[in-house]
Amino acid sequence: MTIRVLLADDQALLRATFRILIDSCEDMEVVGEATDGDEAVALARSLRPDLVLMDIRMPGTDGLAATSAICADPDLADTRVLILTTFEIDEYVAEALRAGASGFLGKDVTADALLAGVRTVAAGDSLLSPLATRTVITRFLAVPPKGARPAVPADLAPLTAREREVMAWVAEGHSNDEIAGKLIVSPLTVRTHVHRAMTKLGARDRAQLVVIAYQSGLVQAPPRG
């Protein structure tokens, strides 16, 4: 299956570069380009892409607002958002993850890493840039957005003990293979636990599961240094 990608960035040169790179792959194609957040939302609704490669800082409606609109639209439940930003360690990144983004990459990412990121997110997994320290990201994720009711441990009541355990490992940044090795089970079993936890908690994807894990207190954010 071909991964259908929508580009959202106000810089024409970057859009052209990403288009050439993505269209060179047999398993993905660029189906549209947006220059601001409003256009990104409109094109997402009309084109129904598998993934939106979203710049977080654009004039007018920015990528954060666009991400919130796309991820809140039930008709776009199958559309994933991958954030591109020049500022990888940034509170806006955490806000984008809370809004439903599946991960982020820096704009200086290599071609191979970008394509791998698109495939990872399109497959339903989350992607946090390896250049962003877990300490900084979790510091922001552990704080609920203004006006939101913070999650509480009781919110995790539907989960089994094993599902909570797997969710905690996921929140700490471990892959399915790594978790499987720790629990001495198959990666498929881990994936099943992850998907059951997502379903029970209404999490859009793996990245949102991480947000819930920190905001519920299941996993504690590292202390500020």
Side-chain angles (χ1 to χ4, degrees):
M1 294 180 62
T2 300
I3 302 171
R4 303 172 70 252
V5 180
L6 170 63
L7 301 177
D9 196 301
D10 62 315
Q11 298 182 49
L13 180 59
L14 271 179
R15 293 199 311 276
T17 301
F18 289 144
R19 175 181 279 277
I20 292 171
L21 181 61
I22 291 171
D23 284 345
S24 70
C25 299
E26 294 183 354
D27 62 336
M28 60 182 76
E29 66 173 334
V30 173
V31 296
E33 297 183 23
T35 59
D36 59 35
D38 286 335
E39 190 176 11
V41 175
L43 287 177
R45 287 171 175 162
S46 63
L47 298 173
R48 304 292 177 90
D50 299 304
L51 181 142
V52 181
L53 203 54
M54 182 82 74
D55 181 18
I56 208 167
R57 296 173 186 268
M58 294 183 286
T61 300
D62 63 15
L64 180 59
T67 296
S68 296
I70 290 171
C71 294
D73 190 333
D75 291 333
L76 297 176
D78 294 328
T79 296
R80 300 286 178 260
V81 177
L82 176 56
I83 296 292
L84 277 170
T85 178
T86 305
F87 307 92
E88 294 195 38
I89 300 174
D90 192 329
E91 184 175 1
Y92 288 115
V93 171
E95 289 184 21
L97 291 173
R98 281 197 293 252
S102 296
F104 69 97
L105 287 169
K107 285 190 175 181
D108 59 351
V109 65
T110 64
D112 287 344
L114 174 68
L115 297 175
V118 169
R119 294 186 179 102
T120 296
V121 172
D125 290 324
S126 63
L127 184 71
L128 299 181
S129 169
L131 295 180
T133 65
R134 185 182 307 161
T135 298
V136 175
I137 292 301
T138 56
R139 179 185 303 168
F140 291 122
L141 289 180
V143 180
K146 293 180 180 179
R149 181 187 68 83
V152 297
D155 294 334
L156 304 182
L159 303 185
T160 65
R162 178 47 62 92
E163 287 165 355
R164 290 190 188 205
E165 184 178 15
V166 169
M167 181 176 171
W169 285 117
V170 168
E172 291 180 0
H174 297 283
S175 68
N176 286 352
D177 287 343
E178 291 171 338
I179 299 171
K182 295 177 182 295
L183 301 181
I184 315 179
V185 298
S186 72
L188 179 59
T189 296
V190 173
R191 189 176 184 85
T192 298
H193 286 311
V194 171
H195 279 279
R196 285 178 178 169
M198 286 167 50
T199 299
K200 291 179 179 180
L201 299 178
R204 181 183 178 87
D205 59 16
R206 195 180 181 102
Q208 204 167 23
L209 202 62
V210 173
V211 175
I212 296 172
Y214 281 102
Q215 292 186 355
S216 67
L218 178 66
V219 178
Q220 298 296 319
R224 292 175 183 266

